[in-house]
Amino acid sequence: LKCSCPLLSRGCMWLGTLGKCEDHLDKCGYVYESCKLECGVVLGRGELEMHEKEKCPQRKVECNHCMREFKSCELTEHLERCPKMKVLCDLCDIQITREEIEKHLKYDCGMVREVCGLGCGVTLTRNKLVFHVKDACIQREIYCEHCEECAKYCDMSTHLEECPNVTIACDLCGIEKYRKDIPLHVKDHCLENEIECIFVKYKCLERMKRKHLDKHVEEKQGKHLGLTLTAIEDLISSQTKELDKLNESVEKQNKHIDQHRKEINKLNEDVKYQNEEIDKMRTEKTITSQRIELLYSITDTTIITWEIENVTNQRMHGFSNRSSVSEQYEMAGYRFSFKFRLRRQLFIVFPATPWNRCNNPFIAKCNIVLLTNYTIDCGKVEVNQKDLARGCERTITSFSEEDIKKYSEPNYASGLGKTLTLEIIFTMQ
């Protein structure tokens, strides 16, 4: 059975069997449907597709300036504030994007009015201000055409009044010179300048213009000669006085020098004496050191000094027992008696006495130093327990003929012999 589309009244011209009518209605463009974008419009299926693509206010559209997507109903509002959209500058009519308009007005727009940055107070558009600063501002800096010094335009007239390279006329003679050369010109060359006479140092006090100087010198030759001679005499007199003062000063200096020389000589003598004393002290120090070393090396020590007066040749050859000395000492718990005897030889004698008996063995060393003006002679002896028990005599030193002569040479003033000094270091070990 054939039938037409139920929507024939809307204009659908479909004809077909009844069985296919339902399939046709699923595709029929005259079936009403709501807009899928939810704008609320109801249209036939055939018109709805075009509506959703081109007319629906809820459809997505792209901004031609920033390339972002918006609903069609919001695009107009977006275009009013789109930062990428070009707009006209209100001052210079240049097209520029909305986001750059502020920067443009701040830095680039030539129609913005600004105050001159040099401080003259003028307000101009930016385009005109460039030429104003360069060529018209009274505060701009320019170079002087004479000295090339830089100064402000408003101060240039003041500078020109002082510029050293500006040519001006001399106030006296009218000759034109650089301002910096005028003082030298007036001082040394200007013929109209009033100057002193060249003999002013000789007390010619007249003044005249430079152009009259030669005439003055020629007319006053006699006066100048007299003044010159007077000045020379005064100079000779003053030089003579100075010379006398110098001679007096030289004499005083010579006296001081002589005095210093005497003081130096005295100091040299003192130094020489001090050196001699130092040498003596060094010798005594050496002897003392030797004695100290000897004393440190022994267990117990007794030091005896024996002076033998009036030693003569006869006493040295004789056998007088009067040239002897007896001593008794106690060392290390022992008591000893001994004596020295001087003949041709120097003896130490230990007599066999109860004092010299010891229960313990020992060795006694005797070191004798003969102190003379010529030399130091040493003799050493050793004794033991048995020697002391039975008594003994030891020879310390023998005197040669030369020693006897040297030690016993009499003193012709007194007729007496010399004094021998013996230092005996007696050691118990």
Side-chain angles (χ1 to χ4, degrees):
L1 181 66
K2 290 187 177 287
C3 66
S4 59
C5 177
L7 301 176
L8 178 62
S9 60
R10 297 180 184 179
C12 181
M13 303 302 296
W14 179 81
L15 290 174
T17 62
L18 186 61
K20 295 182 178 181
C21 184
E22 291 184 3
D23 294 334
H24 166 70
L25 288 176
D26 292 335
K27 299 176 182 179
C28 180
Y30 290 93
V31 175
Y32 287 140
E33 290 182 355
S34 297
C35 177
K36 296 177 181 179
L37 299 178
E38 299 180 354
C39 68
V41 175
V42 179
L43 293 173
R45 186 179 288 151
E47 294 177 352
L48 191 61
E49 184 177 354
M50 182 177 294
H51 165 78
E52 290 176 351
K53 288 183 179 180
E54 298 178 1
K55 296 180 180 181
C56 180
Q58 297 295 326
R59 73 186 185 276
K60 294 289 185 179
V61 293
E62 185 179 76
C63 175
N64 294 329
H65 305 290
C66 65
M67 303 306 171
R68 293 169 60 188
E69 287 188 347
F70 298 91
K71 290 180 180 181
S72 177
C73 61
E74 298 173 352
L75 182 60
T76 302
E77 183 181 356
H78 164 72
L79 291 176
E80 291 178 357
R81 62 177 185 272
C82 179
K84 299 295 183 181
M85 183 178 178
K86 289 188 176 182
V87 296
L88 288 176
C89 174
D90 295 336
L91 299 177
C92 63
D93 294 334
I94 293 178
Q95 280 194 343
I96 193 166
T97 60
R98 184 177 279 112
E99 66 180 358
E100 294 180 348
I101 192 68
E102 184 177 353
K103 179 181 178 182
H104 167 73
L105 291 173
K106 186 175 182 180
Y107 298 108
D108 301 325
C109 183
M111 300 306 293
V112 174
R113 296 180 68 83
E114 292 182 349
V115 179
C116 175
L118 298 181
C120 68
V122 174
T123 302
L124 296 171
T125 61
R126 190 174 284 151
N127 288 338
K128 294 180 180 180
L129 198 60
V130 173
F131 300 101
H132 167 79
V133 170
K134 183 178 180 182
D135 299 324
C137 182
I138 61 173
Q139 295 292 332
R140 72 186 186 277
E141 291 188 345
I142 59 175
Y143 287 96
C144 174
E145 60 182 349
H146 302 287
C147 66
E148 297 186 357
E149 182 178 338
C150 186
K152 292 182 179 181
Y153 179 82
C154 59
D155 298 333
M156 184 54 67
S157 58
T158 304
H159 167 74
L160 291 176
E161 294 177 358
E162 301 174 353
C163 180
N165 289 342
V166 173
T167 301
I168 60 174
C170 174
D171 294 336
L172 299 176
C173 65
I175 294 177
E176 291 188 347
K177 294 282 184 181
Y178 289 129
R179 181 179 278 113
K180 63 182 180 181
D181 296 334
I182 288 294
L184 182 63
H185 163 72
V186 172
K187 180 182 177 182
D188 296 333
H189 303 290
C190 182
L191 298 178
E192 297 297 329
N193 185 33
E194 190 176 89
I195 60 173
E196 296 175 335
C197 175
I198 59 177
F199 288 93
V200 66
K201 62 181 179 179
Y202 299 118
K203 299 184 180 180
C204 179
L205 305 179
E206 295 187 28
R207 298 179 65 85
M208 72 293 300
K209 291 185 177 181
R210 183 175 277 109
K211 62 183 179 181
H212 298 149
L213 179 61
D214 294 340
K215 181 179 178 181
H216 167 76
V217 172
E218 185 177 354
E219 291 176 352
K220 303 292 183 178
Q221 287 183 357
K223 178 182 177 181
H224 291 159
L225 182 59
L227 292 173
T228 304
L229 291 175
T230 302
I232 292 173
E233 290 175 356
D234 293 342
L235 179 63
I236 292 173
S237 176
S238 63
Q239 293 294 330
T240 301
K241 292 179 180 179
E242 290 293 330
L243 184 60
D244 292 340
K245 290 181 180 180
L246 290 174
N247 288 333
E248 292 178 1
S249 177
V250 170
E251 290 179 1
K252 290 181 180 179
Q253 294 296 329
N254 288 334
K255 290 180 180 179
H256 287 306
I257 291 171
D258 293 338
Q259 184 177 357
H260 289 316
R261 283 176 179 169
K262 291 178 181 179
E263 292 177 356
I264 290 171
N265 292 333
K266 184 178 179 181
L267 289 174
N268 288 333
E269 291 177 359
D270 292 341
V271 170
K272 183 178 179 181
Y273 174 76
Q274 293 294 334
N275 289 334
E276 291 176 354
E277 291 295 320
I278 289 171
D279 292 338
K280 291 181 181 179
M281 292 174 66
R282 285 175 178 169
T283 303
E284 292 176 359
K285 180 181 178 182
T286 302
I287 296 172
T288 304
S289 298
Q290 292 175 354
R291 294 173 183 171
I292 290 173
E293 290 177 1
L294 179 60
L295 291 174
Y296 274 123
S297 65
I298 60 183
T299 303
D300 203 350
T301 302
T302 296
I303 301 176
I304 305 165
T305 302
W306 177 30
E307 291 187 353
I308 307 174
E309 298 179 353
N310 195 19
V311 177
T312 61
N313 196 347
Q314 290 77 12
R315 293 188 68 183
M316 292 292 286
H317 283 81
F319 297 90
S320 173
N321 286 335
R322 289 177 297 173
S323 299
S324 64
V325 63
S326 296
E327 299 287 349
Q328 180 173 306
Y329 292 96
E330 181 175 347
M331 294 191 308
Y334 305 119
R335 287 187 294 173
F336 303 97
S337 61
F338 52 88
K339 64 180 179 179
F340 295 96
R341 192 165 53 213
L342 176 65
R343 295 196 294 271
R344 178 178 287 275
Q345 295 175 330
L346 182 63
F347 299 91
I348 183 170
V349 180
F350 296 91
T353 65
W355 295 109
N356 288 350
R357 289 186 176 90
C358 303
N359 298 322
N360 298 320
F362 70 94
I363 297 177
K365 294 184 178 181
C366 185
N367 185 65
I368 294 88
V369 181
L370 181 61
L371 304 178
T372 69
N373 295 329
Y374 301 98
T375 184
I376 297 176
D377 298 322
C378 296
K380 296 181 181 181
V381 296
E382 292 186 4
V383 295
N384 54 29
Q385 180 184 14
K386 294 180 179 180
D387 295 330
L388 292 177
R390 62 175 178 263
C392 65
E393 181 177 298
R394 294 285 188 271
T395 301
I396 298 173
T397 184
S398 299
F399 296 98
S400 63
E401 292 292 336
E402 293 181 359
D403 291 334
I404 294 172
K405 184 178 180 181
K406 179 169 59 177
Y407 297 148
S408 61
E409 183 178 355
N411 187 328
Y412 292 101
S414 61
L416 300 175
K418 294 186 176 182
T419 298
L420 293 184
T421 302
L422 301 180
E423 183 179 76
I424 302 100
I425 301 174
F426 195 81
T427 305
M428 173 78 103
Q429 289 185 345

